[in-house]
Amino acid sequence: MFTLLIVIIVLALVFDYINGFHDAANAIATVVATKVLTPFQAVLWAAFFNFLAYWVFGFGVADTVAKTAHTMDINLVVILAGVIAAIIWNLLTWWLGIPSSSSHTLIGGFAGAAIAHAGFDVVSWYTPGKDGGFPSGVLIIVAFIVLAPLIGALVSYLISIWFLNSSRKDTPYPKIFTVLLMIATIAFVYFNMVSFEDIKKPRFESEFWSVAFEPHNIKWFLVAFIILSISTFCLFFSTLSLGRAEAWLKKMQLLSSAAFSLGHGGNDSQKVMGIIAAAVAVYIHTSGVTHMDPWLDVVLPKDGVDGKMPEWIPLACYSAIAIGTLSGGWKIVKTMGSKITKVSAFEGVTAETAGALTLYVTEHFKVPVSTTHTITGSIIGVGLTKRVSAVRWGVTVNLIWAWVLTIPVSALLAAIIYWILSIFI
């Protein structure tokens, strides 16, 4: 049984690697389309920030994924079948150039194999949030198949309108709005920071550095940095010529793509961490082991008590997704960078910024959303500011079908694989 656990961990990291090159297009497609970076430079850039996310995000999404099914009622074969199904579907959609969701593939596979093993009640469909917190469960994840791209599209559309009005020379109101937004952003971050007294495990002896590098605080600092950077540009946008504005927007794409890559790494790596944590929890329960070696001493959070995870697990997951990103995914780059709508530096900055902000907020609420859906919705949103026909709806409808089918197809595939594996294991 221990061998089976090791096989699951290895395959989970393989999935994480595949996720990296499958979803690389999400972060680099617009940068490549606008020729800000060459494809090789773009994947290096994205991979670096995928890995950097290790120091930025907590484990909230990992916890949500680990609890997709009740770990006390499943076995390791369930998790193995789910991971294998997710790998197969990811490779198939990558081969066909379809930007489907690696997140939903993994969750669908996990849930489908669990249902095949113990019925529908074994899946955590809906769990109310504690103390007014955000609810969790598979139904919430399914809801965000629709909500994530819609939020991305709405934020992208609003940022586009903000940019367009900031370029006007005949009115001061956009600048007044921008200054008020900067003040509101600083105030929001100040009141949402975790103070030194509330940090359970400070990373440094220094109070200042502990507060500055607390994952919760880093996330909001990044949100503030993104908004304040764009705001600064908007304050002098109207004074720039078309050529200089385009040059500045291309430089800003480096910031926006880095921000989105951070969100991608933080969101998607945690999903694999959650699968590994669930596998260890199931192994402990089914094998009767009372004490695990320190390198596999995983405890899932329960009843307000914090969980724990050896450092090598998040480090391995973030490394795998970063290495996968370095491998690229050029078929999907073409779909994301040109087939949905024509992308310039303006569209690139807007879409990536909207996507990054959406990912940071959903990660805060521990919702494992699809980075693919988020950036696609953001690209559609900026396309709508030109005209409805600027979005190639034929391509978009095909993508939506892939999104809708991912969870049920992955679940069915995982169930079949589970029944086959059960014969031999």
Side-chain angles (χ1 to χ4, degrees):
M1 187 175 289
F2 183 74
T3 302
L4 188 57
L5 173 63
I6 299 302
V7 170
I8 290 172
I9 292 173
V10 171
L11 285 179
L13 292 175
V14 169
F15 172 83
D16 208 16
Y17 168 80
I18 295 169
N19 185 357
F21 74 72
H22 187 281
D23 288 5
N26 297 345
I28 70 171
T30 60
V31 187
V32 173
T34 56
K35 296 182 172 60
V36 172
L37 295 174
T38 66
F40 181 69
Q41 290 171 334
V43 293
L44 280 176
W45 186 255
F48 173 75
F49 286 98
N50 273 177
F51 184 74
L52 194 63
Y54 169 69
W55 286 278
V56 175
F57 296 96
F59 301 146
V61 171
D63 177 38
T64 300
V65 173
K67 294 177 179 177
T68 298
H70 304 303
T71 53
M72 300 295 285
D73 300 318
I74 60 175
N75 57 29
L76 289 179
V77 179
V78 168
I79 300 178
L80 178 62
V83 173
I84 292 174
I87 289 174
I88 292 172
W89 181 250
N90 245 14
L91 288 174
L92 178 63
T93 51
W94 165 78
W95 180 256
L96 296 175
I98 301 171
S100 68
S101 168
S102 299
S103 312
H104 294 147
T105 301
L106 188 62
I107 291 165
F110 190 7
I115 291 169
H117 172 73
F120 285 90
D121 290 340
V122 75
V123 174
S124 177
W125 295 106
Y126 181 83
T127 304
K130 294 181 180 179
D131 301 324
F134 204 79
S136 60
V138 173
L139 291 179
I140 299 298
I141 296 169
V142 170
F144 271 84
I145 292 178
V146 177
L147 291 177
L150 283 180
I151 293 171
L154 177 61
V155 175
S156 180
Y157 182 82
L158 293 175
I159 293 175
S160 299
I161 298 299
W162 179 25
F163 271 171
L164 291 172
N165 280 283
S166 296
S167 66
R168 295 171 57 186
K169 296 181 173 65
D170 59 342
T171 174
Y173 294 115
K175 288 182 174 58
I176 294 172
F177 168 80
T178 299
V179 171
L180 291 175
L181 179 63
M182 295 173 79
I183 295 171
T185 300
I186 294 170
F188 174 83
V189 172
Y190 177 78
F191 288 112
N192 280 276
M193 282 174 51
V194 174
S195 65
F196 182 74
E197 292 74 20
D198 295 327
I199 299 176
K200 295 179 181 178
K201 296 179 180 179
R203 292 186 175 185
F204 304 93
E205 292 183 7
S206 166
E207 180 175 335
F208 173 81
W209 291 114
S210 294
V211 171
F213 284 92
E214 173 66 17
H216 175 89
N217 292 343
I218 293 176
K219 185 166 51 190
W220 292 125
F221 291 157
L222 284 171
V223 169
F225 179 71
I226 292 167
I227 295 175
L228 293 176
S229 298
I230 293 176
S231 298
T232 302
F233 172 76
C234 287
L235 287 176
F236 65 85
F237 193 5
S238 62
T239 66
L240 299 175
S241 65
L242 187 61
R244 289 188 65 193
E246 181 74 7
W248 271 104
L249 285 167
K250 285 189 174 184
K251 291 176 182 177
M252 289 172 62
Q253 267 200 277
L254 295 174
L255 169 64
S256 60
S257 64
F260 188 83
S261 293
L262 267 174
H264 173 234
N267 199 287
D268 283 24
S269 291
Q270 284 192 58
K271 293 156 190 170
V272 177
M273 288 159 53
I275 289 295
I276 293 174
V280 174
V282 170
Y283 172 78
I284 292 172
H285 171 65
T286 56
S287 65
V289 173
T290 56
H291 177 72
M292 291 293 288
D293 291 335
W295 71 280
L296 269 179
D297 191 12
V298 175
V299 177
L300 297 179
K302 186 177 181 181
D303 298 329
V305 178
D306 290 340
K308 63 178 180 178
M309 187 179 297
E311 282 295 311
W312 74 266
I313 295 178
L315 192 59
C317 290
Y318 282 108
S319 299
I321 201 167
I323 295 169
T325 300
L326 280 174
S327 304
W330 309 119
K331 290 184 178 183
I332 300 176
V333 167
K334 186 176 179 181
T335 299
M336 301 294 285
S338 61
K339 288 187 177 180
I340 296 175
T341 189
K342 185 180 178 182
V343 176
S344 67
F346 175 89
E347 283 84 11
V349 170
T350 304
E352 288 160 354
T353 301
L357 293 175
T358 304
L359 289 179
Y360 292 173
V361 171
T362 53
E363 196 279 338
H364 174 71
F365 290 111
K366 303 179 182 181
V367 181
V369 301
S370 166
T371 55
T372 306
H373 296 185
T374 303
I375 193 64
T376 304
S378 299
I379 293 173
I380 291 171
V382 71
L384 289 174
T385 60
K386 293 181 283 190
R387 59 186 184 282
V388 174
S389 61
V391 177
R392 298 185 178 103
W393 293 105
V395 174
T396 304
V397 169
N398 290 337
L399 298 183
I400 292 173
W401 272 113
W403 298 352
V404 171
L405 292 174
T406 290
I407 286 183
V409 170
S410 299
L412 179 60
L413 182 60
I416 294 170
I417 292 171
Y418 169 77
W419 288 320
I420 294 172
L421 290 176
S422 296
I423 298 172
F424 302 101
I425 301 177

